[in-house]
Every structure is written in structure tokens, then in C-alpha cells.
Amino acid sequence: MMIMGGTNIGATLVMVLVALFSLLSFEPMVVEARPPTVIIVGAGMSGISAAKTLSDAGIKDILILEATDRIGGRMHKTQFAGLSVEIGANWVEGVNGAEVNPIWPMVNKLKLKTFLSDYDNLTSNTYKQAGGLYDGATSKAAFEASDELTEFTTKTSISLTAQKKEDISILAAQRLKHQVPSTPIEMAIDYYNYDYEFAEPPRVTSLQNTEPLATFANFGEDLYFVADPKGYESVVYDIAGQFLTVDKTGKITDPRLKLNKVVIEIQHSASGVIVKTEDGSLYRSAYVMVSASVGQWKILALYQFDMSVYTKIFLKFPYKFWPSGNGTEFFLYAHEKRGYYPIWQQLEREYPGANVLLVTVTDDESRRVEQQPDSETKAECMKVLQDMFGKNIPEATDILVPRWWSNKFFKGTFSNWPIGVTRYEYDQIRAPVGRVYFTGEHTSEHYNGYVHGAYLAGIDSANILINCAKRRMCKYHIMPKGT
Ligand SMILES: Cc1cc2nc3c(=O)[nH]c(=O)nc-3n(C[C@H](O)[C@H](O)[C@H](O)COP(=O)(O)OP(=O)(O)OC[C@H]3O[C@@H](n4cnc5c(N)ncnc54)[C@H](O)[C@@H]3O)c2cc1C
Ligand SMILES: *[C@@H]1O[C@H](CO)[C@@H](O)[C@H](O)[C@H]1NC(C)=O
Ligand SMILES: *[C@@H]1O[C@H](CO)[C@@H](O)[C@H](O)[C@H]1NC(C)=O
């Protein structure tokens, strides 16, 4: 029986889930002999973090159902031209600050190779569409104007919050200073400041919830790029190995993790939960914790929370034709079309001698390149590189274009906080509905969109469930509107 508790938006969500998958009849029950206390849907960082928190609290009769054939979700390495590259999360973002980013000690414990990203010298590394670098004076003036603009928008954000005023977009804040980035170099820098972080343009991004950004304010300004054959995902495997049985080769053999189990329906009542998977299995439990990403669960339709798209295109060349050495890691391409192959990274330190470049596109450009053959994307990249470095450059021998938006289990890359969603509405995303609990980066209180957000959200959501399961404290208090 479906419980439609109260007026909570979450309740609507669960109804929608059921409606979406419109299941009419149940096949014969394939339910486990002894139902676990908690079923966790999804084995990405947040699901694994939640499961470990439950296990540490003594709730060890859990069952993790994961749609794909692996754990880690949006943390995923792949082989590209003989190298191990990350198609999902790549950086530990927010390091060397007042507080320690919880992911940083994990990465170091596993001795993953990391590289401090050096964005300092972009003034000297910004290319014109017509070719060649901008001269020092032009470039310096544009970067300084951008710094002043950011200072202004951040101050505006803080003052709006202090006055309990309504949120505005970052673009609206820029308009208040009559300084909307509009030349190619201004747009390239603006893209670097915002889209490169949030994967959506300032027009849609919330000012109040992104400036200042908790990740950098609390954990520090530095970003470390993970480039290690073990993969960034080994952090998730390490957490999993702390509570699931693993064999000598490091493979998880624990029966409490089931891979290739696509959850298509969740039903709940006062007495328990039934979870149905695509293969017709039914699993019973006392509680369920849903960690699948926003795009997939249509939360975005309900909460207007955006699932953005961020695409990391890797290209390999027979030899280097770009500058290398200190102060050259990142370079910008200032095209008249905002967001057209704007941010480049040469990976000489990370993959010495491999002659690999990484270019990032987002949003509409991501959706466009996902739908065209890689050969076309490669041709576009070659044209851009010829603009920057001249016609006499070698053809790329290999290209990798990840497709997160087209992937039905993700439908995008990470959540972005759009203008118009208040803290009150946001808080409802993680509010449990009866016996259904929610986690995932999009439910993180301060760090949505990040690996550390997913990790911390897993702990927080698990603790809400533990309070109910062990202490009968099942009421979840949503912060009142306007606080
Ligand atoms: C391209 C890209 C770049 C990024 N860059 C960074 C970065 O540099 N630094 C950073 O900190 N963060 C970055 N992120 C964000 C970070 O990867 C995520 O915030 C984090 O990994 C999300 O973890 P999660 O557990 O919330 O979700 P997920 O990792 O998406 O886990 C959810 C799991 O649920 C599974 N699932 C989905 N549907 C079902 C279903 N129906 N039934 C069962 N299982 C299901 C999925 O397969 C997945 O394993 C990036 C993400 C992407 C995609
Ligand atoms: C490059 O930077 C590193 C670290 O800042 C420094 O140790 C090294 O000497 C620099 N190399 C050159 C060639 O300047
Ligand atoms: C900045 O980059 C330019 C061009 O790529 C390079 O020549 C210069 O040495 C770099 N400066 C610093 C301080 O690293």
C-alpha cells in the first residue's frame, strides 16, 4: 500500500516514482528469506558512505542494489590511449583551508597520485579566436575587471542574505554593476569563473547559494587533480572494503552488495518497504535509502534543481605543440560563441610524454557533442587548436568523449543550485517520506555537486535513518521557511 504522507514534496516524489514506472502486477515474489533492515539504492560515494555509517552503528543487515556492474557511480576511470583517465570526478576540490576536506586524507592514505592545479598564469595563456595570445595589457585588464566583478557579486550576495532578500542569479548581480561579460575574452574568463565550476551559465545559477561557495570557503582554494592508475574511484572501494567482505584480489564478494540490479519501483507502508528491480525481483526491508542522482529520479522536475552536464574531452597527439613547463597547465580559448571549447589543460605533469590535452565543455555544448560522432568533435577541436597554434599541428590520434547526459542511470553530471530554489525547498529533498530516505550529492547540506558532498550526505542521511531505526526518533524537522 502506498502511503502519501502529508503535503511533503517528497511524498509527491515517491508517488511520481511509482507513476513513472507504472507497475501493475507483481511477478512471483523472489524476496530474500530474511529481509534486511535497510536497502540502499545505488553504490556511488553517497550510497557506500551511508551503508558504512549504518554498519558502524550496528545496522549490518543491509542490502545495496546497484544498477551498473560496478560501484563508484560518477567516480569512474577508463582507459584512454593506454592511460587511466577519469571520465567523472577528477579533482579533490577545496584543499589547504581552515577545515580538512574529508576526501583529502582518503586520497593520501591510498597514495593516489595528485597534482595541484595551477590556474595562476591564465593571464599569459589566453588565446584569441583569430589566433595567437592576447597581449599582456589587454589580458591583464580583462582578468582584473573580472576579479572586481566577482568581488562585487560576492558582496552583493552577502548583503542580500543579511537583509533576508530574495535570491537573484549571478548574471543579475553582474547587471547591477553594469558589467555583463560580453567580449570573447570577458566571456572566456566568465565561463572559467562559473560554468567551469557549476557547468551552467551565470544566468541560471543562484547567487546566494554559490557566492561565497562553502567548498572553497571552508576547505581552501586549492584543487588537486587525481591521475592514478588505481582511479579516483578507489576511494569508494576503500570505504566499501571497511564493511563489506573483499577477496584477496580486492573484489567485493559480500552478498550484501548486488550489482546489475536496476530499481524500478519502491513501495512503502507503515510496516515496511518493497523494492522492485527490472529483472522482476522483489526485495523487502524495513527502510530504504535512495541515492540515485537527481536526473534519474526526476527530482529536478519537482524541485527545479538542475542536473548539469560537464564534459571532459581527452585528446591524444603524436607530439606536443603547446607550451609546457611551469605556468602553462591551463589555457583559455576566447571564441565569440560563449562556451565553445573554452578551457584547455595540458597534462604533461600528470601523464608525462603522453601528449594529452583535456578540453572541457558544458551544458548545451555538452548535449551537442554527446549527440554527434566523435570524429566531428575531433574536427572541431582541431580547428580550435589550429586557431590557437597555427595550421602546422599534427592531427589528434585519439579522442574520448564521455556521455553522462545520454546515460540513463545519470542523465547529467552533477546538481547545480538554480536561482529560485530556497533553503526551505532544498531541505525537503532529503526529508524522508515514511520509510523512504534520501541521500546523494544533491542532498548535501553545503556541498552539493561534489565528491565530499556525496560522502558527507551519506553520513547525514544514514544518521537520520539511524535515529529512527534505533531511537524511534522518526520525525524529521525541516527548517522553517525564511531561516
Ligand atoms: C564529469 C563529472 C565531473 C565531476 N567532477 C568533479 C570533481 O572534479 N570533483 C568533485 O568533487 N566532484 C566532481 N563531480 C561530482 C561527483 O562525481 C559527484 O558529486 C559524486 O560522485 C556523486 O555521488 P553520489 O553517490 O551522490 O551519486 P552517484 O555517483 O551517481 O551514485 C548513484 C549510484 O546509483 C546508481 N543508480 C542509478 N539509478 C539506479 C537504479 N534505478 N537502481 C539502482 N541503482 C541506480 C548509479 O549507477 C550510481 O552508481 C563530477 C561529476 C561528473 C559526472
Ligand atoms: C617549477 O615549479 C616548481 C614548484 O613551484 C619549482 O620547484 C621548479 O623549480 C620550477 N621549475 C622551473 C623550470 O622553473
Ligand atoms: C606564464 O605562461 C607563459 C606562457 O605560457 C610562460 O612563458 C611564463 O613563463 C609563465 N609564467 C609563470 C610565472 O609561470
Side-chain angles (χ1 to χ4, degrees):
M1 186 187 92
M2 277 284 307
I3 298 283
M4 298 164 192
T7 53
N8 190 310
I9 298 177
T12 324
L13 168 68
V14 174
M15 284 160 53
V16 167
L17 285 184
V18 173
L20 267 177
F21 303 116
S22 65
L23 282 160
L24 304 169
S25 60
F26 282 178
E27 283 97 78
M29 301 279 248
V30 206
V31 176
E32 306 278 288
R34 249 187 310 133
T37 299
V38 186
I39 289 175
I40 294 126
V41 180
M45 176 53 103
S46 68
I48 292 296
S49 161
K52 176 174 188 290
T53 307
L54 293 168
S55 175
D56 288 350
I59 302 178
K60 295 183 194 297
D61 54 336
I62 55 179
L63 177 64
I64 307 169
L65 301 175
E66 163 58 45
T68 67
D69 61 0
R70 60 178 184 88
I71 72 167
R74 284 174 267 169
M75 302 176 77
H76 191 33
K77 64 165 194 263
T78 195
Q79 287 301 112
F80 170 68
L83 308 166
S84 176
V85 299
E86 302 292 336
I87 60 168
N90 216 142
W91 282 272
V92 185
E93 300 203 37
V95 182
N96 299 328
E99 292 173 39
V100 177
N101 182 328
I103 306 304
W104 188 232
M106 299 181 195
V107 160
N108 290 316
K109 177 189 132 189
L110 297 174
K111 297 194 167 58
L112 298 185
K113 285 206 199 85
T114 59
F115 301 83
L116 174 64
S117 282
D118 176 14
Y119 294 101
D120 281 348
N121 198 22
L122 284 175
T123 331
S124 310
N125 300 338
T126 301
Y127 290 83
K128 297 185 225 174
Q129 182 175 350
L133 288 161
Y134 280 89
D135 68 81
T138 308
S139 186
K140 192 157 169 278
F143 275 91
E144 279 172 6
S146 157
D147 286 349
E148 272 171 38
L149 183 56
T150 310
E151 212 173 290
F152 172 84
T153 53
T154 304
K155 271 196 195 137
T156 305
S157 174
I158 292 166
S159 114
L160 287 179
T161 305
Q163 300 167 55
K164 296 200 185 292
K165 289 261 175 68
E166 287 215 1
D167 190 19
I168 59 175
S169 70
I170 292 167
L171 176 64
Q174 293 175 334
R175 278 204 205 102
L176 289 177
K177 199 173 185 288
H178 305 290
Q179 196 182 325
V180 174
S182 46
T183 65
I185 188 169
E186 287 166 357
M187 290 192 293
I189 299 169
D190 192 52
Y191 183 98
Y192 163 73
N193 286 339
Y194 297 107
D195 306 49
Y196 187 51
E197 195 58 36
F198 305 126
E200 289 195 317
R203 180 170 28 80
V204 303
T205 301
S206 158
L207 177 71
Q208 274 177 281
N209 294 295
T210 55
E211 290 199 342
L213 196 69
T215 284
F216 300 121
N218 297 343
F219 297 138
E221 303 273 322
D222 288 341
L223 282 81
Y224 283 81
F225 189 91
V226 178
D228 192 291
K230 293 193 285 287
Y232 199 172
E233 69 202 53
S234 54
V235 167
V236 183
Y237 280 87
D238 186 62
I239 300 171
Q242 294 169 33
F243 68 98
L244 295 175
T245 321
V246 175
D247 74 9
K248 273 185 260 139
T249 68
K251 193 170 174 286
I252 301 168
T253 52
D254 202 301
R256 291 173 296 172
L257 170 69
K258 291 198 189 302
L259 301 175
N260 302 306
K261 286 286 185 185
V262 181
V263 171
I264 55 168
E265 186 187 344
I266 296 166
Q267 287 202 7
H268 70 118
S269 70
S271 60
V273 177
I274 298 173
V275 175
K276 180 168 184 173
T277 54
E278 209 170 50
D279 58 8
S281 309
L282 293 174
Y283 299 92
R284 227 180 253 287
S285 62
Y287 304 92
V288 64
M289 172 78 71
V290 180
S291 85
S293 64
V294 227
Q296 227 240 311
W297 294 98
K298 309 278 186 215
I299 289 178
L300 106 121
L302 284 159
Y303 305 97
Q304 309 114 43
F305 224 76
D306 282 358
M307 185 67 165
S308 66
V309 197
Y310 181 103
T311 309
K312 298 156 65 189
I313 302 168
F314 292 87
L315 291 152
K316 183 175 168 69
F317 295 88
Y319 57 87
K320 269 197 302 288
F321 51 86
W322 51 85
S324 55
N326 287 352
T328 64
E329 183 176 6
F330 293 90
F331 49 101
L332 303 187
Y333 173 66
H335 194 272
E336 64 199 2
K337 181 171 193 278
R338 193 178 183 285
Y340 192 73
Y341 301 103
I343 308 210
W344 295 76
Q345 183 177 2
Q346 56 98 350
L347 298 170
E348 191 50 31
R349 267 189 318 153
E350 290 81 354
Y351 304 106
N355 308 320
V356 170
L357 291 178
L358 167 55
V359 58
T360 302
V361 296
T362 55
D363 202 44
D364 282 347
E365 280 298 294
S366 288
R367 285 181 275 264
R368 190 179 66 82
V369 303
E370 280 202 22
Q371 292 178 85
Q372 72 184 10
D374 290 354
S375 57
E376 253 165 71
T377 305
K378 192 174 105 179
E380 290 172 2
C381 290
M382 286 310 302
K383 171 76 177 65
V384 165
L385 288 166
Q386 285 169 357
D387 286 348
M388 288 193 274
F389 299 106
K391 297 278 176 220
N392 293 327
I393 59 169
E395 183 71 19
T397 52
D398 241 318
I399 184 166
L400 174 70
V401 182
R403 285 178 167 77
W404 290 100
W405 176 64
S406 322
N407 184 323
K408 68 171 174 168
F409 296 127
F410 300 95
K411 301 223 169 123
T413 51
F414 43 81
S415 66
N416 181 35
W417 199 313
I419 149 135
V421 176
T422 65
R423 165 65 57 190
Y424 171 76
E425 283 152 336
Y426 186 59
D427 217 29
Q428 296 200 343
I429 294 179
R430 59 178 183 157
V433 179
R435 292 171 171 272
V436 184
Y437 288 71
F438 298 93
T439 190
E441 55 84 2
H442 53 282
T443 71
S444 164
E445 191 170 357
H446 302 293
Y447 309 111
N448 72 283
Y450 294 102
V451 169
H452 49 273
Y455 172 73
L456 293 171
I459 295 174
D460 290 346
S461 301
N463 281 326
I464 297 171
L465 198 160
I466 291 162
N467 262 336
C468 181
K470 298 189 75 169
R471 299 187 255 286
R472 309 310 318 160
M473 289 159 60
C474 301
K475 253 197 131 44
Y476 178 80
H477 297 282
I478 293 176
M479 271 186 276
K481 213 162 187 158
T483 55

